[in-house]
């Protein structure tokens, strides 16, 4: 019954609704758990088992489990919290310490995160529920990127900032709203330092957008006769 209901929800119902990525998975998983628990209780009642005794035994087992399997119980409860509260969902791009990747599965005890290098990392649910987690796609999938550019001393700051903005507008992956913004960061021994702030529609465009933007900035400055110092363009996500 749980398999049939899960299949119907995933393939027939959720596919026709405008749900946030991961919402359907959370509802289907929670529904399956509820059906399993209710089914087990009904089965015991049909067998004539005294539920009061079952409750007493379950309480005794709970004490033993609490001492011997604290981490397992903690991860299980954390899995319930993730399903109900949904601070993170399947499809979200999250950052947990040095780990950066997309959540592929939220299970009973652990979750699976696929890194940008293609590795599957198993993360305990307690880490997702209790530790600091950066969710890059919680509200939307847009993301801002900053490109640092150094030009020779003596260059006109207004001209450089105008060229940087023009270069960003020529890259198809860069959004027009919010508009690209160029800033004069400050001075160094060999250059004037600028920063270009741009937005992309989806975080999946990260590498392509940054590469195209750097090429466009380099060509725009060279066309204007501005030769970049050896420090050149430096990017930071």
């Amino acid at each position: 019954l749980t398999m049939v209901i899960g299949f119907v929800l995933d393939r027939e119902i959720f596919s026709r609704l405008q749900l946030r990525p991961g919402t359907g998975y959370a509802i289907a998983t929670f529904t399956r758990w509820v059906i399993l628990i209710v089914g087990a209780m009904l089965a015991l009642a049909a067998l004539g088992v005294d539920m009061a005794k079952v409750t007493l035994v379950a309480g005794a087992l709970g004490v033993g489990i609490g001492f011997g399997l604290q981490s397992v119980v903690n991860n299980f409860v954390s899995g319930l919290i993730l399903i109900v509260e949904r601070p993170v969902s399947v499809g979200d791009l999250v950052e947990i310490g040095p780990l950066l990747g997309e959540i592929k599965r939220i299970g009973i005890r652990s979750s699976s995160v696929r890194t940008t290098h293609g590795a599957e990392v198993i993360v305990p649910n307690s880490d997702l529920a209790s530790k600091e987690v950066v969710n890059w796609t919680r509200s939307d999938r847009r993301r801002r990127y900053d490109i640092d550019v150094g030009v020779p001393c003596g260059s006109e700051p207004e001209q450089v900032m105008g060229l940087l903005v023009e270069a960003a507008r020529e890259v198809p992956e860069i959004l027009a709203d919010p508009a690209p913004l160029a800033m004069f960061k400050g001075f160094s021994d060999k250059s004037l330092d600028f920063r270009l702030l741009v937005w992309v529609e989806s975080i999946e465009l990260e590498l392509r957008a940054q590469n195209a933007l750097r090429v466009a900035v380099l060509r725009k400055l060279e066309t204007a006769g501005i030769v970049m110092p050896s420090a050149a363009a430096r990017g930071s996500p």
Side-chain angles (χ1 to χ4, degrees):
L1 180 62
T2 58
M3 292 177 62
V4 171
I5 291 179
F7 179 83
V8 172
L9 289 175
D10 289 335
R11 302 297 179 88
E12 299 296 332
I13 298 179
F14 296 148
S15 60
R16 301 178 182 179
L17 301 177
Q18 299 295 328
L19 297 177
R20 184 178 178 274
T23 301
Y25 176 88
I27 296 175
T29 301
F30 189 74
T31 302
R32 286 194 290 265
W33 288 3
V34 171
I35 293 175
L36 286 173
I37 295 173
V38 173
M41 296 177 63
L42 292 176
L44 292 174
L47 291 173
V49 178
D50 188 353
M51 297 305 296
K53 295 181 179 179
V54 172
T55 303
L56 182 62
V57 173
L61 289 175
V63 175
I65 292 175
F67 285 105
L69 299 175
Q70 291 184 13
S71 61
V72 175
V73 175
N74 184 22
N75 287 322
F76 177 78
V77 174
S78 298
L80 292 177
I81 294 174
L82 294 177
I83 293 296
V84 175
E85 293 188 358
R86 291 190 293 114
V88 295
S89 303
V90 174
D92 284 350
L93 185 68
V94 299
E95 185 175 349
I96 312 169
L99 177 63
L100 174 65
E102 179 183 354
I103 295 181
K104 289 295 185 181
R105 180 187 63 86
I106 298 178
I108 296 177
R109 185 191 66 83
S110 62
S111 299
S112 177
V113 177
R114 183 177 178 84
T115 68
T116 54
H117 293 88
E120 292 281 347
V121 181
I122 306 302
V123 180
N125 286 336
S126 58
D127 288 352
L128 292 174
S130 60
K131 292 186 177 180
E132 180 177 311
V133 178
V134 180
N135 193 333
W136 288 100
T137 55
R138 177 64 178 173
S139 55
D140 59 53
R141 302 192 72 84
R142 294 191 304 174
R143 187 172 179 181
R144 195 192 81 188
Y145 294 101
D146 304 344
I147 302 295
D148 290 346
V149 180
V151 299
C153 296
S155 302
E156 288 292 337
E158 293 81 2
Q159 179 191 15
V160 174
M161 289 188 290
L163 293 172
L164 294 178
V165 172
E166 290 179 11
R169 289 173 177 169
E170 295 176 0
V171 178
E173 292 83 3
I174 303 302
L175 292 177
D177 184 22
L181 175 65
M183 302 174 57
F184 186 10
K185 284 181 56 182
F187 310 89
S188 64
D189 295 339
K190 299 181 180 179
S191 65
L192 303 180
D193 298 328
F194 295 83
R195 173 166 293 176
L196 178 60
L197 287 64
V198 298
W199 286 84
V200 294
E201 180 64 32
S202 174
I203 198 169
E204 287 79 12
L205 300 174
E206 172 183 0
L207 296 179
R208 187 171 66 187
Q210 290 195 63
N211 182 69
L213 181 59
R214 289 189 175 97
V215 172
V217 167
L218 181 61
R219 290 178 176 174
K220 183 67 67 172
L221 294 178
E222 288 180 345
T223 301
I226 301 176
V227 180
M228 303 175 67
S230 58
R234 300 177 296 277
S236 59

